[in-house]
């Protein structure tokens, strides 16, 4: 191998290493920007076992709308109650954030919503989009709208399309 070939190979190797390092650093920065703290806290609350943790993220008069089942909850107590109800119906409720986008006072969250409806033969994992409208300080959620396919949840779970949860 000639000196020039060796030097060219060294430069190419160093350039590739530098590009890989730069891409990793850029990805780390993007990850921090893509998941605002309130969205990460929202996912942690859904993934946790304390219903009050979800309610606490909302303004006192905040709303939570689950578009798939067509219901809206108002205020921290009702929102915490919705999380508690979900935990009684679904084992291993989990939200995995795939991406977020902040536009003014709204965060759009693209996620995977998963779990196992109690009594269903199979677990489910469906795409979900959530819009989180924030208060003016971006400290609390003023409104949440969840969008996912209930039909897909039921189909993946092995339940009929007309299945309804048992009443408490």
């Amino acid at each position: 191998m000639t000196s020039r070939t060796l030097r060219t190979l060294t430069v190419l190797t160093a350039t590739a290493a530098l590009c890989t390092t730069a891409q990793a650093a850029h990805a780390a920065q993007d990850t921090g920007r893509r998941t605002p703290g309130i969205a990460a806290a929202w996912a942690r609350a859904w993934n946790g076992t304390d219903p009050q943790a979800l309610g606490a993220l909302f303004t006192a008069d905040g709303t939570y709308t689950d578009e798939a089942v067509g219901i809206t909850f108002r205020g921290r107590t009702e929102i915490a109650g919705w999380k508690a109800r979900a935990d009684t119906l679904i084992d291993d409720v989990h939200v995995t954030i795939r991406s977020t986008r902040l536009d003014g006072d709204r965060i759009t969250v693209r996620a995977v919503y998963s779990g196992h409806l109690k009594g269903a033969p199979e677990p489910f994992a469906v795409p979900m989009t959530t819009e989180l409208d924030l208060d003016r300080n971006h400290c609390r959620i003023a409104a949440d709208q969840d969008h996912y396919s209930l039909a897909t949840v039921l189909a993946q779970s092995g339940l009929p399309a007309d299945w309804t949860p048992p009443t408490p």
Side-chain angles (χ1 to χ4, degrees):
M1 196 179 303
T2 67
S3 169
R4 183 178 175 142
T5 305
L6 185 58
R7 188 173 55 227
T8 301
L9 186 58
T10 302
V11 169
L12 288 174
T13 303
T15 301
L18 183 58
C19 288
T20 301
T21 303
Q23 287 172 342
H26 183 264
Q29 290 171 354
D30 283 350
T31 299
R33 281 194 346 246
R34 274 192 249 144
T35 306
I38 194 76
W42 171 85
R44 278 192 308 275
W46 267 112
N47 298 339
T49 58
D50 178 11
Q52 301 306 316
L54 183 64
L57 297 174
F58 286 78
T59 59
D61 61 346
T63 60
Y64 195 117
T65 302
D66 185 320
E67 298 288 349
V69 294
I71 194 162
T72 298
F73 302 92
R74 290 174 176 72
R76 294 177 184 140
T77 302
E78 284 187 16
I79 293 166
W82 177 236
K83 165 65 171 143
R85 175 84 169 130
D87 287 346
T88 65
L89 293 174
I90 307 168
D91 287 327
D92 303 319
V93 172
H94 198 80
V95 172
T96 304
I97 294 178
R98 295 294 185 214
S99 69
T100 59
R101 179 170 186 225
L102 176 63
D103 185 13
D105 293 337
R106 175 173 282 175
I107 300 171
T108 302
V109 179
R110 298 206 185 280
V112 174
Y113 171 48
S114 61
H116 193 148
L117 288 164
K118 291 185 180 176
E122 300 293 329
F124 67 88
V126 297
M128 175 173 73
T129 300
T130 296
E131 296 167 337
L132 301 174
D133 292 330
L134 307 177
D135 67 358
R136 69 174 186 217
N137 298 320
H138 291 197
C139 295
R140 295 204 186 271
I141 301 167
D144 173 312
Q145 290 184 335
D146 287 351
H147 305 269
Y148 61 92
S149 170
L150 180 59
T152 303
V153 168
L154 295 175
Q156 286 183 8
S157 297
L159 295 170
D162 62 350
W163 179 85
T164 56
T167 54

